[in-house]
Amino acid sequence: MSRVLGIPPKRALPLKEASLFKEVLTMYEARQLKKGLKTADQILKKFPEHGETMCMKGLILTHMGRREEGIDLVKKGVRLDLTSHICWHVFGLIQKGEKNYEEALKSYIQALRFDKENLNILRDAAHLQTQLRLYDGLVETRHILLRLRPTVRQNWVSLAVAYHLSGNLLEAKKVLEQYERTLKNVPDYDTEHSETTMYHVRLLEELGEFTEALSLLDVSSKSRVIVDKTAIMEARARLLSKLKSDESEHAWRVLIDHNPDCTSYYHGYLASQGIDSDEASLAILRDISSQIPRANAPRRLALSFASGDRFKELAKPYLLSGFTKGIPSLFADIKLLYKDQAKLSQIQALLEEIRAENAPDSAAPSSSTFTSQPTTYLWILYFQAQHFSYLSQFRRALEILDEALKHTPTLPELYTCRARVLKRAGDLFGAARSVEEARLLDGQDRFLNTKSAKYRLRAGLVDEASALLGLFTKKDATSPGADLEDMQSLLYLIEEADAQNRSGKINLALKKYIAIQKVFDEVEDDQYDFHGYSMRKFTINIYLNLLAWEDRLRSHLAYVKAAISASRIFVAVHDDPSIAASLASSGQLTDAEKKAKKKAKKAAQKVQDDSKKGNSQQSSNEDKGLEPTAPKDDDVDGIKLLGCSDPLERAAKFLHPLTTLAPQNIEVWIAVYDVAIRRKKLLQAAKALKHACSIDVENPELHIRLVHVRRTASALPQEPPVPIGPLFKESLLELLPEEVSLETFNSQYLQRHPSSQQAILAAAKVSQMLQAPLQEVENTLFAALGPDAKLDLESSQAILSYLKSLGSQRAEEFRLTCDGKFDLSTVFKSPEEQALLVKQALSVVIGYPDEVEAEA
Amino acid sequence: MNIRLARIDDLSGMQAANLINLPENYVMKFWMYHLLTWPQISFVAENGEGKIVGYVLAKIDDETTDANSAEVHGHVNSISVLRSYRRLGLARRLMMLSQEAMLTVYNASYVSLHVRKSNKAAIGLYKDTLGFSVADIEKKYYGDGEDALSMKLYLKR
């Protein structure tokens, strides 16, 4: 950190102390923390009000792990010398360490006011501006850096990238061209220059200058400037296609030879030839197939293009080859063709045919060229079972699997398949049992372990799932879940959260949903270091892709699910704060949870003890960095979280990114409405419903909200002020015309959807909201089991739990009827029956419980 | 099935596949670092629905990163194919694409990797199909105390 001229009197130090201060700076840079601290104290003894020294001391203390004390000093130091770039820089460093990027940038900008050309501060400011997506400011900062250090290569590229990010591709191109003119004697095989040139090609392509892009690509590949041959070939094929050049066909063909398993190459190849008929495509694919017989892609693609007899002709050898090789993913591959009903039927018929030809006791001669082996028959059955499960013919699927299991009882896939069928049929306990049988056949396989744990979670067996997961997680973690959370396993977090949510432990569920939110925060923070790193490495293309990906990060399904579920919980505790209180007092922890809690507490205590030890050993020179260590979790069971004072604000924040990242998801808008209307954000609420209406105006959950919003509006104690009041009223009229009474609106809705269980449930909920007598609500709900109703498991379950929540006497009747109607399902069994099923699910093989016990 | 170069938006899928399938797991920043530093040498296999079912994550070492070796060489950090997508030869094809990119882009002289001593199937693939040989045995390399075979394959000559 350099000093500047024109020192204000209170900053000026006598010669001796001034040189001591310089030493402090050098010692800090070298992370000689202990010495630095001692020297700073020496200055402060004589000049206790010296802001810059105080800031440096604070910074050093923070690095030494004495965070609170350090930050206090930094703040005090800044106040004592508001025009020092050193003070502001130090403050910015502290804020950056706390990931408070906005405030950090403000401090850096202050620092730059007093030291305009400080390279370190400028570079950090550029990284902060990128992180915050303040691209105009970024361009400015990169300009200054380039002006100050035009001989540094990365400064040129960084400016081009800044222009690119700000949307000014033309300027980016100009900067890059200028940069290239300054280059001399680039050696062959220079990966950095190769990447920069590929970036230049991309820029030209994005600008639509395809001819220029192509010629740069060709010149650069001939002169060995670009070393990434695959990237050259791909860009070439793409550009030639965009230029509609005759050469494009050859370019794609070269790519296919290079990697015959990349499907996009085939699409490019076919498109380059202007193919307009499926017949022609098939002919081309056949040619390639005969030239590259080991490639699977052309044979599979042909199945998508073919139809009728041709399809059958091609499908049979394709299936047979899969069965002979024993490819477990064959069904997952083929079922994508089932969107075409004709192909589905053809496959079904083919299966019968192939099965008959390959049955062990079959007298019919096999038409295949392969000699049929016993395992072939097994894989046929495996496929056929999945086929019927797909068609929801669960009994049939199970019969086939039984035969397969009789044939070979040691193939884990048969058990996982059986589990899948049972799960889809609603027998979650049987499913958990079956997949556990698979796991026991190969205990070393983490894939089967994950599957078994997941199925246990689906069956609500949370502790038992944890015991399994612990077989593969780190032994020193406070719990298997804690390790999986550290490793950012979204699958685990969402499955456990949902399991807790279903069993009513919404505090534990919320805790995990919030953990998911944190994972995404972490990944967003992760990009920070690359704003500098990637410029130094010149890997610009992938860096630009990283930024674009980060901007869309939260469109991930796990985030969407977590945000919606968490916001529902937040809304529930807002509506009824006693839920949080009763969960807090009920002491609902199971033994395993208590154990985990105790272990977590112990670990947290240890962390605290260690940090205390750190405090007492002031002589330690160890650099603990500027990022705060995670505080100990004093709310392991999420009770405090559930009882927070601002549930709606937290929900709104969780949901917010989704209004731009998942705008086609109706559940998002309904969740946004639920939160906004309770926060009295009337226009936001109305807008959310409008979005929802544009997606699916007949959606059952939306129906409930349309009634809710009208009732909320008429119950407002007074007309909201202008312009909100009139605007809100206007948008309500668009959603639901005023002349229709809510009762009529509801009965019309029900009439439009007499067979949908979800619609029936929604209509019943609305009746209840409109204070209809219980009997009427019950009658509405029982229509869901009527002869016209389309039964689905989830909706029936939802209706049952709604009946229970109403305290209906007829809930038991509903349960029993469902139990009769849903063959195989166990979700409508009585608690006693379910307890027995759980026992069976967990007692798969003798000896197994010991194994879990040892790990628990 | 589609086998291609790994892209940034594959990161989530690669991390998820690793967590389901293998005992050695890494936080996102680790995956990010590799792809952003050596964007040409990691590959993925995705199924017809775009789900990542297999991947190879690789890096390049030279004298600045690996004091034991002055030669530029590739190293396979992690390779995995979901159990339900085995027997398609995905691992072999992923490895071959990565090896070729290591050679052409970085002029790597060999590729190295670690494998659990007990993982017969993987050792078979590396040795018999791809031509690797055992260079060393690293005692207690894995978190659970298992030894690793350190394997090598020369890419030129």
Side-chain angles (χ1 to χ4, degrees):
Chain A
M1 290 179 203
S2 61
R3 313 239 42 197
V4 273
L5 296 170
I7 301 167
K10 66 173 175 179
R11 189 182 307 153
L13 291 170
L15 215 56
K16 185 186 163 207
E17 278 73 21
S19 88
L20 282 178
F21 185 76
K22 263 187 204 152
E23 276 177 40
V24 173
L25 295 179
T26 336
M27 287 164 181
Y28 170 73
E29 294 298 343
R31 295 295 185 274
Q32 293 174 320
L33 302 176
K34 221 171 84 186
K35 272 192 191 165
L37 181 66
K38 224 165 127 190
T39 316
D41 276 334
Q42 240 178 303
I43 306 171
L44 287 170
K45 215 188 231 166
K46 267 199 181 159
F47 300 93
E49 300 279 273
H50 193 248
E52 292 185 337
T53 308
M54 200 176 278
C55 280
M56 285 310 297
K57 181 181 171 184
L59 183 64
I60 291 169
L61 284 175
T62 312
H63 272 278
M64 292 170 89
R66 291 159 69 182
R67 200 171 170 80
E68 249 173 78
E69 192 186 341
I71 291 176
D72 275 350
L73 270 182
V74 170
K75 285 182 183 161
K76 214 167 134 195
V78 175
R79 275 197 297 275
L80 285 169
D81 194 349
L82 287 166
T83 60
S84 154
H85 78 274
I86 291 184
C87 289
W88 283 111
H89 190 182
V90 168
F91 196 32
L93 283 170
I94 298 276
Q95 289 161 322
K96 193 180 78 178
E98 288 169 345
K99 307 216 185 322
N100 189 348
Y101 302 118
E102 272 133 59
E103 292 304 315
L105 181 60
K106 281 184 201 162
S107 297
Y108 274 98
I109 286 174
Q110 282 294 329
L112 285 173
R113 274 179 58 197
F114 307 113
D115 187 7
K116 290 185 175 48
E117 303 194 340
N118 186 313
L119 293 175
N120 278 331
I121 302 182
L122 282 164
R123 261 194 298 268
D124 273 358
H127 302 164
L128 287 165
Q129 284 164 326
T130 316
Q131 185 77 12
L132 293 164
R133 306 297 192 253
L134 299 170
Y135 292 141
D136 290 340
L138 176 67
V139 168
E140 220 171 289
T141 310
R142 291 297 192 194
H143 251 300
I144 300 171
L145 277 164
L146 178 61
R147 183 168 51 74
L148 294 174
R149 288 287 184 280
T151 52
V152 177
R153 292 209 294 165
Q154 69 175 71
N155 285 346
W156 288 87
V157 174
S158 301
L159 178 61
V161 167
Y163 273 122
H164 192 139
L165 290 169
S166 76
N168 193 342
L169 299 188
L170 269 177
E171 271 313 311
K173 184 179 96 170
K174 274 189 209 159
V175 172
L176 212 57
E177 284 167 352
Q178 249 178 302
Y179 160 68
E180 280 160 0
R181 280 196 290 273
T182 67
L183 285 178
K184 280 175 201 107
N185 308 325
V186 180
D188 277 0
Y189 264 113
D190 184 309
T191 318
E192 290 177 0
H193 188 54
S194 169
E195 285 289 320
T196 315
T197 312
M198 275 313 290
Y199 168 57
H200 194 165
V201 173
R202 168 184 177 160
L203 247 181
L204 293 170
E205 187 178 349
E206 285 190 21
L207 280 163
E209 300 175 15
F210 303 138
T211 315
E212 293 77 4
L214 185 64
S215 78
L216 175 62
L217 186 73
D218 283 347
V219 168
S220 311
S221 60
K222 265 184 215 109
S223 60
R224 315 226 308 167
V225 163
I226 303 177
V227 294
D228 186 350
K229 283 182 193 140
T230 314
I232 294 171
M233 289 192 287
E234 287 190 1
R236 210 158 179 276
R238 213 171 49 234
L239 287 165
L240 287 167
S241 282
K242 286 183 177 171
L243 288 165
K244 304 204 174 11
S245 157
D246 295 341
E247 282 176 68
S248 69
E249 185 184 324
H250 175 70
W252 287 111
R253 187 54 220 252
V254 170
L255 280 168
I256 291 176
D257 288 333
H258 170 70
N259 175 10
D261 298 298
C262 183
T263 44
S264 59
Y265 296 164
Y266 292 86
H267 292 299
Y269 185 56
L270 293 174
S272 71
Q273 300 182 52
I275 302 295
D276 48 5
S277 79
D278 288 349
E279 246 345 282
S281 298
L282 285 171
I284 290 172
L285 290 169
R286 192 179 49 219
D287 281 353
I288 301 178
S289 229
S290 64
Q291 286 159 30
I292 317 174
R294 68 183 176 86
N296 187 61
R299 291 190 296 129
R300 175 60 183 79
L301 261 175
L303 293 182
S304 299
F305 286 110
S307 57
D309 286 345
R310 189 95 177 87
F311 175 76
K312 207 177 149 186
E313 240 167 72
L314 292 170
K316 189 166 182 183
Y318 190 87
L319 289 173
L320 261 177
S321 136
F323 296 146
T324 321
K325 288 185 198 145
I327 291 173
S329 58
L330 187 61
F331 182 75
D333 173 20
I334 290 293
K335 79 168 180 205
L336 300 172
L337 299 164
Y338 283 9
K339 274 171 268 172
D340 181 341
Q341 186 61 42
K343 288 187 183 176
L344 188 155
S345 311
Q346 281 180 305
I347 296 277
Q348 183 164 329
L350 267 175
L351 281 174
E352 290 298 340
E353 197 179 308
I354 296 173
R355 183 174 166 179
E357 287 165 3
N358 289 276
D361 52 356
S362 154
S366 173
S367 70
S368 75
T369 50
F370 306 98
T371 40
S372 184
Q373 291 184 348
T375 54
T376 306
Y377 184 63
L378 189 68
W379 290 106
I380 297 169
L381 295 179
Y382 177 65
F383 187 103
Q384 214 180 10
Q386 294 175 84
H387 173 86
F388 286 114
S389 174
Y390 177 92
L391 296 173
S392 298
Q393 297 182 27
F394 303 124
R395 286 258 173 223
R396 191 146 178 208
L398 290 174
E399 278 163 26
I400 294 168
L401 283 171
D402 283 343
E403 194 192 331
L405 282 163
K406 226 184 295 159
H407 185 283
T408 307
T410 50
L411 183 67
E413 274 65 27
L414 294 178
Y415 296 90
T416 51
C417 180
R418 192 161 184 277
R420 192 129 194 243
V421 176
L422 290 170
K423 186 183 77 179
R424 293 199 58 219
D427 180 2
L428 301 179
F429 304 111
R433 182 189 163 92
S434 195
V435 74
E436 177 62 11
E437 285 172 321
R439 188 191 75 81
L440 288 167
L441 288 170
D442 190 353
Q444 297 302 306
D445 188 326
R446 192 177 191 182
F447 181 85
L448 294 174
N449 179 280
T450 309
K451 273 260 137 99
S452 188
K454 177 177 147 182
Y455 274 60
R456 285 185 174 189
L457 287 171
R458 289 284 170 94
L461 306 168
V462 176
D463 294 344
E464 293 81 356
S466 173
L468 283 188
L469 291 169
L471 297 173
F472 279 94
T473 53
K474 290 188 195 78
K475 301 299 170 235
D476 54 354
T478 50
S479 67
D483 182 43
L484 288 164
E485 190 175 324
D486 285 347
M487 289 296 116
Q488 306 171 323
S489 171
L490 298 171
L491 173 78
Y492 158 73
L493 289 171
I494 201 83
E495 290 292 343
E496 163 131 3
D498 286 347
Q500 302 284 17
N501 204 8
R502 282 189 298 267
S503 68
K505 294 176 183 172
I506 54 172
N507 49 327
L508 297 171
L510 190 57
K511 190 85 187 166
K512 290 284 185 279
Y513 290 132
I514 297 291
I516 291 173
Q517 188 180 26
K518 280 190 194 140
V519 169
F520 284 90
D521 290 345
E522 278 166 28
V523 177
E524 187 178 347
D525 284 332
D526 283 345
Q527 68 182 301
Y528 187 89
D529 291 349
F530 295 101
H531 302 321
Y533 177 83
S534 296
M535 295 301 110
R536 291 197 299 280
K537 288 270 169 192
F538 293 86
T539 48
I540 306 145
N541 280 314
I542 193 144
Y543 169 70
L544 287 171
N545 297 344
L546 171 76
L547 296 196
W549 176 69
E550 291 279 2
D551 286 340
R552 300 201 46 80
L553 198 61
R554 291 175 178 81
S555 61
H556 193 289
L557 199 59
Y559 185 90
V560 178
K561 279 180 160 179
I564 292 173
S565 298
S567 76
R568 284 184 192 147
I569 295 176
F570 279 130
V571 164
V573 292
H574 164 84
D575 288 355
D576 183 2
S578 74
I579 302 176
S582 73
L583 275 170
S585 61
S586 69
Q588 47 155 353
L589 295 187
T590 63
D591 284 347
E593 282 160 4
K594 275 182 209 147
K595 231 187 220 170
K597 199 174 169 182
K598 225 164 139 190
K599 209 170 162 190
K601 219 172 179 179
K602 233 164 135 186
Q605 192 59 46
K606 192 173 174 290
V607 170
Q608 236 189 358
D609 291 349
D610 288 352
S611 71
K612 264 188 207 144
K613 254 182 246 157
N615 276 354
S616 59
Q617 292 166 356
Q618 289 194 1
S619 55
S620 165
N621 217 357
E622 189 195 345
D623 183 6
K624 297 206 163 63
L626 284 177
E627 288 181 23
T629 44
K632 80 174 178 108
D633 188 356
D634 58 354
D635 182 33
V636 179
D637 49 16
I639 290 288
K640 281 188 192 163
L641 175 65
L642 199 65
C644 67
S645 58
D646 55 347
L648 295 180
E649 283 64 35
R650 290 182 194 222
K653 207 175 152 209
F654 210 156
L655 287 169
H656 181 70
L658 298 181
T659 56
T660 46
L661 294 178
Q664 285 312 308
N665 186 330
I666 194 163
E667 286 183 61
V668 166
W669 293 113
I670 287 169
V672 168
Y673 167 79
D674 285 343
V675 174
I677 196 76
R678 285 165 177 81
R679 294 176 76 204
K680 313 270 187 301
K681 309 261 182 205
L682 299 179
L683 294 183
Q684 215 183 81
K687 214 173 116 196
L689 289 186
K690 216 169 140 184
H691 273 290
C693 282
S694 73
I695 297 168
D696 176 14
V697 74
E698 297 290 318
N699 179 285
E701 289 296 315
L702 175 59
H703 174 68
I704 300 173
R705 270 54 173 203
L706 289 175
V707 175
H708 181 265
V709 75
R710 168 87 78 80
R711 284 172 51 83
T712 310
S714 48
L716 286 176
Q718 65 199 47
E719 180 93 349
V722 180
I724 294 170
L727 280 172
F728 181 53
K729 225 173 177 178
E730 199 181 305
S731 43
L732 280 197
L733 286 175
E734 278 174 45
L735 295 167
L736 176 64
E738 209 160 37
E739 60 269 23
V740 188
S741 83
L742 293 177
E743 282 77 7
T744 316
F745 179 70
N746 195 34
S747 61
Q748 283 172 347
Y749 180 76
L750 191 57
Q751 276 165 23
R752 283 201 301 277
H753 307 282
S755 62
S756 156
Q757 288 192 309
Q758 285 181 35
I760 290 170
L761 176 58
K765 283 183 176 173
V766 168
S767 296
Q768 209 267 340
M769 211 195 293
L770 299 175
Q771 269 125 33
L774 179 60
Q775 203 188 346
E776 193 186 314
V777 177
E778 285 170 340
N779 287 341
T780 305
L781 289 168
F782 268 81
L785 298 178
D788 303 330
K790 265 190 254 139
L791 292 187
D792 85 89
L793 203 76
E794 250 175 78
S795 309
S796 302
Q797 251 181 308
I799 294 174
L800 177 60
S801 59
Y802 182 59
L803 275 168
K804 283 184 187 160
S805 76
L806 293 177
S808 163
Q809 302 287 324
R810 298 183 66 191
E812 187 63 7
E813 179 193 343
F814 192 91
R815 179 184 76 74
L816 285 168
T817 316
C818 284
D819 194 35
K821 282 189 183 273
F822 287 99
D823 186 28
L824 294 170
S825 164
T826 57
V827 297
F828 297 107
K829 298 290 175 207
S830 69
E832 299 75 35
E833 289 168 313
Q834 289 197 345
L836 193 69
L837 289 165
V838 168
K839 234 182 189 170
Q840 287 171 0
L842 294 174
S843 59
V844 179
V845 170
I846 305 167
Y848 149 73
D850 292 334
E851 194 185 340
V852 174
E853 203 45 51
E855 299 297 339
Chain B
M1 203 56 52
N2 186 19
I3 301 178
R4 55 167 175 79
L5 187 68
R7 298 189 296 244
I8 279 291
D9 38 350
D10 295 322
L11 284 172
S12 304
M14 292 166 81
Q15 190 189 32
N18 165 270
L19 273 160
I20 290 173
N21 230 30
L22 291 183
E24 286 76 37
N25 312 124
Y26 319 96
V27 291
M28 184 58 90
K29 198 162 180 185
F30 177 89
W31 298 89
M32 228 182 235
Y33 167 74
H34 282 82
L35 231 52
L36 274 130
T37 311
W38 304 283
Q40 315 89 347
I41 55 174
S42 292
F43 290 82
V44 294
E46 66 179 348
N47 72 5
E49 290 166 308
K51 180 181 153 186
I52 301 300
V53 300
Y55 66 83
V56 56
L57 184 80
K59 65 170 178 173
I60 296 292
D61 275 330
D62 54 26
E63 69 283 351
T64 60
T65 53
D66 182 355
N68 297 323
S69 168
E71 282 175 290
V72 176
H73 66 275
H75 183 81
V76 175
N77 280 82
S78 184
I79 171 166
S80 182
V81 173
L82 293 189
R83 186 189 172 95
S84 42
Y85 285 84
R86 296 206 182 137
R87 297 196 214 177
L88 290 164
L90 297 181
R92 178 181 62 85
R93 283 183 257 185
L94 288 167
M95 281 293 293
M96 289 182 64
L97 284 169
S98 179
Q99 289 166 16
E100 194 200 334
M102 288 170 181
L103 175 64
T104 57
V105 180
Y106 292 98
N107 217 3
S109 54
Y110 65 89
V111 51
S112 62
L113 55 80
H114 291 110
V115 58
R116 282 179 182 268
K117 217 171 84 181
S118 65
N119 192 346
K120 296 263 153 47
I123 295 170
L125 167 75
Y126 303 138
K127 239 188 192 159
D128 307 333
T129 314
L130 295 166
F132 277 76
S133 52
V134 178
D136 201 0
I137 296 174
E138 296 191 26
K139 292 276 172 207
K140 299 198 167 143
Y141 178 84
Y142 293 100
D144 56 7
E146 188 171 344
D147 297 346
L149 299 188
S150 166
M151 301 186 87
K152 256 188 190 184
L153 170 71
Y154 275 87
L155 296 171
K156 281 178 283 190
R157 286 181 293 275

